[in-house]
Amino acid sequence: GRVHVAMATVNAVVERGCTMLVHYDKSVSSTEIKDALESGSAHEKAEAMKKAIAILLSGEQMPQIFITIVRFVLPSEDKYVQKLLLLYMEIIEKTDAQGKLLPEMILICQNLRNNLQHPNEFLRGATLRFLCRIQEAEILEPLIPSIIACLEHRHSFVRRNAVMCMDRIYQMPGGDMLLMDAPETIERFLQGGESDLGTRRNAFLMLYNNAQDRAVNFLMSNLEQVANWGDILQNVVLDLIRKVCRNDPSQKGRYIKIILTLLGTNNTSVIYECANTLVALSSAPTAIKAAANCYCQLLVSQSDNNVKLIVLDRIAELKDAHRYVMQEMVMDILRAVSTPNVDIRKKALDIVLDLVTGRNIDEVVAALKKEITKSQTDTAEKAGEYRQMLVQAVHRCAVRFPGVAGAVVNLLMDFLGDANTATAFDVAMFVREIAQTNPDLRDQILRQMLDCFFSIRSSRVCGTCLWIVGEFSLTTAQIEESLETLKQSLGPTPFFTQKKKHSQWEADPEEDDQATQDQYGKRHFGEASHDSMKEQKKKGPVVLADGSYATQTASSADVRALAEAQVPNLRALVLAGDFFLASVVSTTLTKLAMRYINIAADAGVAPADANRLHAECMLYIVCMLRLGESGETPTPMDSDSKDRMMVCVKTLAKPQEADVDVWLSACRSAYDGLIADRAKQKEDEEAVKDQPPISQADDLIDFYHLKSRKGMSQVEIEDAVATDLKRATGFGAGKDEKKSALERVIQLTGFSDPVYAEAYVTVHQYDIVMDVTVVNRTNEVQQNLALELATMGDLKLVERPQNHTLAPGETKHIRANIKVSSTETGVIFGNIVYESTGSDRNVVVLNDVHIDIMDYISPAWCEDNKFRSMWAEFEWENKVAVNTTIKTVREFLDHIVESTNMRCLTPPSALEGDCGYLAANLYAKSVFGEDALVNVSVEEQDGVVSGFIRIRSKTQGIALSLGDKITLKQRAKAVPK
């Protein structure tokens, strides 16, 4: 019973309005506090007051010390004790159960009046601040004359707090009756020449909150001085401008000049707010350009990375709405990459790449080349990642504007041997695409690639470069030079010594494996690295992007050891067990040999020379096959690679029977089709993005040169024309907000309940706002109606909504704020409690509100390589079995994409056709920056779709919540479009 009473006491304190919170976990008796208050010194009284305040805030009641405080603390002359006395009076209960003021509060009122007339300015100001948090009109009413008198005090601290106190009292329910002429008083006070900036700001804010017309009149009568006002007052002016123009858009022109004036100030907070206000109010190019200049200025001048990220977000919003104006600011935005933070660099590069045009491409590429050169000497932790971003940026520029490819390809090819494999691979992919789309650059690319081929140590990069060599070595001289480079990279044949292998067959069978490893290590790695090679083990399974598993064939440690032993790059990779690369080498050699045979006669090459080159290619392929079958590599040769190399051998053995077009033309044609498909996909996306809105045929169109210019500045004319054009072309019309709002209304109670309630839930980035509408459906007055909410999951109720009294049939709107801390499905539940004439407590239980994970994630795009790396890195996986009534795999995929609010990364061309099975990758990002990866692998058998959906993420919540969402939605039949 005692526990329940204690909990009830705590709840009662929590439910009251609380303006301060102090943690206190020490126990102290009320007797000790009472003794210290009665007979202690000023310091001891202050410590006792602190303890009493902390105990009261923790939920305990101490009515016995009230009289002690009145007798012994009230008369104290110590300023600190008096300040603590005000805090004590702030938290104690001042009314009885019926809401009437307790009689002992009269003593407090007398003390407060004395404080407001006290000669000490600190005590006066502290008392005025205390009165800002008092809601009882009976306490405030006798103090009104003293509060107004403080406006004329000599010290600004008192005047500043007196204005703020009047503002708070006037905003109270019934406050306009306590201070009937407060706005007029404050306006006279402002016009009286107040010199303190904080006081003037509070006074102007009071007019802004309570008498907007008076605030506007004061602003208009002091336009010449606005630029000299302090920053805190200028920010309130900007708030007033936004509020006035929101209510009456026709007033925009007269206020834009004030904003442009304030742009010339030196305060960064004012400049930032000016830019925000300009963007919100005007679409005129002059205003947008001024705002963009401000953002770019802040981007360079501010050292705080958080500020830079916020400003970049604003620039990104401007880019979407005013692309043509922002294209002139590209170089200013690009200066942000000088910041060493990777997130800032990535965001700045993304914005710049969206704004690149034919007019600024040369400047952008020159700046990127300079950054790439600087990154070579950068030793920072994420320098490799930044270099990769720069390479990708140049790649995108060169794809959109092929004319700049020649200026950057030479520089980038130096990075094919970069220690950062991701950067080197991006360069290789870039060079491959440039070689395919720019025939004039092929000779230059091939020559430089052969020069730097020996420096490449990555298997993936080597594979891409070998494809380029095989496809674009078109003349006899190029083929001979390419073959010579490959022979030097592969080293002499054979790849293992046959004699030593025979000696191993004669060894003791139990020591056979160990002897093989020892001789292999000494023969290929040298004595120094032999011991480290003996410790190398086979790698475990690697997860591919499609969700399947493959065995990794090359150990990176093996490759490093061979590199240290000065073994050529291709030889090192093949000896380390990378037989997929060996199959790529075989394919390249086959292409070179077949093309050489086809053109040798026309080029005047002797048949003997052609046969010699032909035989050398076959020799290297056969040697790699024998190496794989010997068992001397750390990992055995896989059957796919073996089959591929055998096909190459058979093709070279009987070239006259081979399909020449498949070897020499089909590969390049397939890649050409891939590039064309990507370009078409990009064009389709741009077409959807730039689709013009629909407008009415009879909308008003206003022409610039016919506009009346009387008394209007250039900015006002531009703004008026831009506004009219937006309205006429439909750009000014937003989405059907009423329809979307109705779709988000959730019914909380039934129509037959005494209280009908429905909620409109708005999900912001980090919080949820519930606007609850309650209607009294009875013929009785419902008193103290309270909305009691609780949450489940990573949701937290910020504050308890206040109580209301509803007359019969009356409607009230109640707002509740709920904080969100992670991307996870949450539930909000609760009830409505009220008092009526027949019962002290009536409860209406509310329907549960499920917060959908779809509100937190949005479709996103990433490179295939990044998707693969994240898929291998993320540790949380949720595997969902497919169980659906949908009949086709493509229809099922479309349904999953629509239901999960994700983007399908697999291109449409790869999903075409009807083969009965399908694998696709989906991707989305949450508002908290979390990545959600989904792989759909399904097949159709006898009209039944089966398979699995794998979800991977870095955090558990998003994987589980997304899995639950898919499980819930996959059985639903997709709606035909």
Side-chain angles (χ1 to χ4, degrees):
R2 188 177 305 167
V3 174
H4 289 296
V5 172
M7 287 300 294
T9 306
V10 172
N11 289 337
V13 173
V14 171
E15 288 178 0
R16 290 205 313 264
C18 179
T19 56
M20 57 184 277
L21 185 64
V22 178
H23 176 67
Y24 189 75
D25 56 359
K26 297 178 182 178
S27 59
V28 61
S29 67
S30 58
T31 307
E32 295 177 16
I33 296 176
K34 192 174 181 180
D35 293 341
L37 292 175
E38 289 179 356
S39 56
S41 63
H43 177 72
E44 291 172 341
K45 285 183 178 179
E47 291 300 319
M49 287 293 293
K50 285 182 184 178
K51 293 175 183 176
I53 292 169
I55 290 172
L56 287 170
L57 284 173
S58 65
E60 295 186 27
Q61 299 293 327
M62 299 177 66
Q64 64 274 21
I65 69 167
F66 179 79
I67 297 301
T68 304
I69 289 175
V70 170
R71 290 178 58 198
F72 298 100
V73 178
L74 229 60
S76 174
E77 292 295 326
D78 187 87
K79 307 300 179 297
Y80 188 50
V81 173
Q82 287 293 327
K83 173 69 175 176
L84 290 169
L85 175 63
L86 293 173
L87 294 178
Y88 169 78
M89 290 188 289
E90 182 180 327
I91 63 173
I92 60 173
E93 195 65 53
K94 303 173 188 65
T95 56
D96 56 17
Q98 284 74 36
K100 294 183 179 180
L101 192 69
L102 295 172
E104 54 266 30
M105 288 298 115
I106 297 174
L107 300 171
I108 300 294
C109 292
Q110 184 60 42
N111 181 66
L112 293 175
R113 186 186 292 110
N114 294 338
N115 284 352
L116 291 175
Q117 297 171 356
H118 200 280
N120 182 271
E121 59 272 7
F122 170 76
L123 197 53
R124 279 203 190 196
T127 305
L128 289 165
R129 290 181 71 87
F130 158 73
L131 292 176
C132 292
R133 296 185 286 273
I134 298 299
Q135 299 295 320
E136 289 76 19
E138 294 90 339
I139 296 177
L140 295 170
E141 187 174 3
L143 304 177
I144 295 298
S146 301
I147 294 171
I148 296 175
C150 287
L151 288 174
E152 301 175 1
H153 194 272
R154 57 182 175 78
H155 202 284
S156 60
F157 179 69
V158 178
R159 299 195 302 272
R160 186 187 318 146
N161 286 292
V163 173
M164 186 168 63
C165 182
M166 292 179 67
D167 182 23
R168 296 298 175 85
I169 293 174
Y170 195 79
Q171 291 184 55
M172 283 173 47
D176 53 342
M177 301 302 295
L178 293 174
L179 285 165
M180 281 188 274
D181 55 351
E184 185 182 348
T185 304
I186 295 298
E187 186 178 20
R188 286 199 307 269
F189 173 76
L190 257 180
Q191 294 171 346
E194 172 60 42
S195 59
D196 180 65
L197 177 61
T199 307
R200 294 171 66 200
R201 179 258 182 193
N202 285 357
F204 191 78
L205 185 62
M206 192 272 177
L207 295 180
Y208 164 76
N209 289 329
N210 306 297
Q212 184 175 305
D213 293 341
R214 294 181 183 273
V216 170
N217 292 335
F218 178 76
L219 174 62
M220 290 302 170
S221 60
N222 293 274
L223 285 178
E224 294 78 9
Q225 289 82 35
V226 171
N228 300 322
W229 290 354
D231 55 342
I232 55 176
L233 182 52
Q234 288 171 340
N235 281 326
V236 180
V237 169
L238 292 171
D239 287 340
L240 174 67
I241 291 173
R242 281 195 291 264
K243 186 176 180 181
V244 171
C245 294
R246 196 180 304 121
N247 296 332
D248 185 6
S250 63
Q251 299 289 325
K252 286 192 300 183
R254 62 192 293 205
Y255 291 109
I256 288 177
K257 288 185 285 188
I258 301 176
I259 301 170
L260 293 175
T261 302
L262 292 177
L263 280 176
T265 61
N266 296 323
N267 188 276
T268 52
S269 67
V270 175
I271 293 174
Y272 177 73
E273 288 299 329
C274 281
N276 291 347
T277 308
L278 269 180
V279 173
L281 296 186
S282 176
S283 300
T286 304
I288 298 301
K289 192 170 183 179
N293 278 322
C294 290
Y295 289 141
C296 293
Q297 177 187 339
L298 293 171
L299 201 58
V300 176
S301 63
Q302 296 301 302
S303 58
D304 192 326
N305 288 342
N306 293 320
V307 174
K308 289 179 182 286
L309 287 170
I310 292 170
V311 171
L312 283 171
D313 284 337
R314 292 289 188 180
I315 292 175
E317 293 172 4
L318 268 187
K319 175 204 70 176
D320 295 335
H322 307 280
R323 179 178 297 272
Y324 296 107
V325 178
M326 294 301 295
Q327 285 170 355
E328 302 175 12
M329 315 297 298
V330 164
M331 297 309 297
D332 294 319
I333 301 170
L334 197 55
R335 292 164 66 187
V337 298
S338 59
T339 306
N341 183 278
V342 174
D343 295 328
I344 294 173
R345 285 171 162 173
K346 184 177 186 310
K347 190 167 285 191
L349 285 174
D350 288 342
I351 294 171
V352 167
L353 291 177
D354 277 351
L355 295 174
V356 169
T357 64
R359 290 177 298 172
N360 56 31
I361 182 65
D362 293 331
E363 290 180 295
V364 171
V365 170
L368 292 176
K369 285 174 61 178
K370 190 181 297 182
E371 285 296 318
I372 290 174
T373 306
K374 285 167 55 180
S375 70
Q376 290 179 279
T377 57
D378 192 355
T379 58
E381 180 183 356
K382 295 190 176 181
E385 184 179 347
Y386 175 49
R387 192 154 56 245
Q388 182 184 357
M389 287 193 301
L390 290 171
V391 169
Q392 291 172 349
V394 171
H395 186 175
R396 288 171 61 181
C397 289
V399 169
R400 289 181 58 190
F401 303 95
V404 303
V408 295
V409 71
N410 293 334
L411 173 67
L412 290 184
M413 287 182 71
D414 293 337
F415 291 94
L416 285 170
D418 195 272
N420 186 342
T421 304
T423 302
F425 184 68
D426 283 335
V427 171
M429 299 296 284
F430 165 70
V431 172
R432 184 178 70 168
E433 189 165 349
I434 295 303
Q436 178 74 15
T437 55
N438 293 266
D440 297 339
L441 297 175
R442 287 174 185 170
D443 293 346
Q444 174 188 345
I445 289 173
L446 184 63
R447 193 181 314 111
Q448 190 170 352
M449 179 168 289
L450 294 176
D451 289 342
C452 66
F453 190 82
F454 307 102
S455 65
I456 303 172
R457 290 284 172 180
S458 166
S459 174
R460 296 168 67 198
V461 180
C462 278
T464 305
C465 293
L466 285 169
W467 187 91
I468 296 172
V469 170
E471 288 296 331
F472 301 115
S473 297
L474 303 177
T475 65
T476 54
Q478 289 176 337
I479 294 173
E480 291 168 358
E481 187 180 357
S482 298
L483 184 60
E484 187 62 31
T485 302
L486 294 184
K487 286 165 60 178
Q488 293 179 20
S489 297
L490 287 167
T493 57
F495 290 99
F496 65 97
T497 306
Q498 190 71 27
K499 181 180 178 181
K500 292 190 177 182
K501 188 165 190 341
H502 283 303
S503 68
Q504 289 174 17
W505 291 343
E506 300 167 3
D508 183 11
E510 295 182 0
E511 300 177 357
D512 183 57
D513 291 342
Q514 185 61 42
T516 301
Q517 292 180 10
D518 290 349
Q519 296 211 15
Y520 166 78
K522 293 175 182 176
R523 193 155 59 246
H524 297 301
F525 294 89
E527 297 289 344
S529 58
H530 170 54
D531 294 336
S532 63
M533 271 301 299
K534 284 173 64 178
E535 298 175 2
Q536 295 301 321
K537 299 180 180 179
K538 293 180 182 179
K539 285 285 182 183
V542 175
V543 185
L544 300 177
D546 62 356
S548 61
Y549 295 89
T551 304
Q552 189 172 346
T553 57
S555 166
S556 57
D558 297 348
V559 177
R560 284 196 301 270
L562 285 165
E564 292 168 2
Q566 301 299 315
V567 178
N569 57 344
L570 285 183
R571 189 182 189 90
L573 292 164
V574 172
L575 289 177
D578 191 345
F579 285 101
F580 176 77
L581 180 63
S583 69
V584 176
V585 173
S586 303
T587 305
T588 304
L589 291 172
T590 304
K591 289 179 182 178
L592 293 175
M594 292 189 66
R595 187 173 285 116
Y596 197 79
I597 292 171
N598 287 346
I599 64 175
D602 296 337
V605 177
D609 294 336
N611 290 337
R612 186 183 303 110
L613 185 143
H614 194 102
E616 284 180 340
C617 291
M618 288 186 69
L619 173 64
Y620 273 100
I621 299 172
V622 171
C623 286
M624 287 187 288
L625 272 169
R626 296 189 64 189
L627 173 67
E629 293 176 347
S630 70
E632 287 209 359
T633 54
T635 54
M637 180 169 59
D638 59 289
S639 58
D640 287 343
S641 299
K642 179 180 178 180
D643 292 345
R644 196 175 180 192
M645 286 191 278
M646 288 300 297
V647 169
C648 293
V649 172
K650 291 176 182 177
T651 301
L652 291 177
K654 297 180 179 181
Q656 65 276 8
E657 298 178 6
D659 190 340
V660 178
D661 289 337
V662 170
W663 284 97
L664 302 183
S665 304
C667 294
R668 202 184 312 168
S669 300
Y671 184 53
D672 204 24
L674 176 64
I675 294 175
D677 182 66
R678 286 179 182 170
K680 183 178 182 302
Q681 189 177 354
K682 190 74 175 175
E683 288 174 5
D684 292 343
E685 291 177 0
E686 291 294 331
V688 171
K689 187 187 300 183
D690 297 336
Q691 185 175 7
I694 300 172
S695 59
Q696 296 299 324
D698 57 348
D699 275 355
L700 172 67
I701 298 179
D702 206 334
F703 294 95
Y704 182 86
H705 294 290
L706 304 180
K707 193 82 176 174
S708 172
R709 304 188 179 196
K710 188 175 180 181
M712 297 177 70
S713 66
Q714 181 68 20
V715 179
E716 290 179 79
I717 297 171
E718 282 187 18
D719 178 69
V721 171
T723 303
D724 291 342
L725 284 175
K726 280 178 66 177
R727 187 171 67 249
T729 56
F731 281 94
K735 298 178 182 177
D736 193 349
E737 296 179 359
K738 292 185 178 179
K739 181 180 177 182
S740 61
L742 289 174
E743 290 174 352
R744 302 184 71 86
V745 171
I746 301 169
Q747 186 176 340
L748 300 179
T749 64
F751 292 109
S752 59
D753 287 320
V755 178
Y756 173 74
E758 62 183 21
Y760 173 57
V761 181
T762 306
V763 178
H764 299 293
Q765 189 162 2
Y766 297 112
D767 65 330
I768 298 168
V769 178
M770 278 186 65
D771 288 304
V772 182
T773 302
V774 293
V775 183
N776 182 358
R777 304 274 294 181
T778 68
N779 295 323
E780 301 178 342
V781 175
Q782 295 174 345
Q783 296 180 336
N784 292 328
L785 184 141
L787 178 65
E788 297 181 347
L789 297 175
T791 58
M792 186 171 68
D794 283 338
L795 305 175
K796 183 180 180 183
L797 189 66
V798 177
E799 58 183 357
R800 181 180 181 275
Q802 67 180 30
N803 296 359
H804 294 275
T805 298
L806 267 68
E810 186 180 0
T811 300
K812 284 282 186 185
H813 297 280
I814 305 172
R815 173 167 290 191
N817 291 299
I818 296 158
K819 286 291 178 187
V820 186
S821 56
S822 73
T823 308
E824 186 176 341
T825 301
V827 180
I828 304 171
F829 55 95
N831 49 51
I832 291 176
V833 182
Y834 65 93
E835 299 173 3
S836 62
T837 54
S839 174
D840 290 339
R841 182 178 174 85
N842 299 279
V843 179
V844 179
V845 180
L846 305 177
N847 288 335
D848 294 345
V849 178
H850 293 267
I851 303 303
D852 196 349
I853 185 178
M854 296 301 105
D855 292 321
Y856 303 117
I857 68 173
S858 57
W861 182 85
C862 71
E863 296 281 353
D864 287 343
N865 301 328
K866 186 178 179 183
F867 187 93
R868 291 170 186 265
S869 63
M870 288 191 294
W871 186 270
E873 175 190 346
F874 290 171
E875 56 186 10
W876 290 103
E877 178 176 295
N878 190 4
K879 187 176 180 182
V880 179
V882 173
N883 181 11
T884 182
T885 56
I886 298 174
K887 300 297 183 183
T888 64
V889 290
R890 184 59 192 271
E891 188 181 353
F892 178 75
L893 175 65
D894 293 340
H895 178 60
I896 291 297
V897 169
E898 185 178 355
S899 302
T900 57
N901 197 26
M902 303 187 81
R903 174 170 179 165
C904 182
L905 298 183
T906 307
S909 58
L911 301 173
E912 290 177 355
D914 186 13
C915 60
Y917 63 89
L918 179 148
N921 295 328
L922 314 181
Y923 180 63
K925 283 185 80 74
S926 75
V927 295
F928 302 98
E930 300 163 314
D931 300 289
L933 313 179
V934 173
N935 171 257
V936 180
S937 298
V938 290
E939 63 176 344
E940 177 191 343
Q941 290 181 340
D942 301 327
V944 177
V945 175
S946 60
F948 291 96
I949 301 172
R950 290 183 177 87
I951 304 132
R952 287 202 177 185
S953 66
K954 189 174 287 187
T955 57
Q956 181 184 20
I958 195 169
L960 295 179
S961 299
L962 202 52
D964 294 340
K965 182 73 175 178
I966 290 174
T967 303
L968 182 67
K969 290 285 187 179
Q970 66 170 329
R971 291 190 63 84
K973 180 67 177 175
V975 178
K977 294 182 180 179

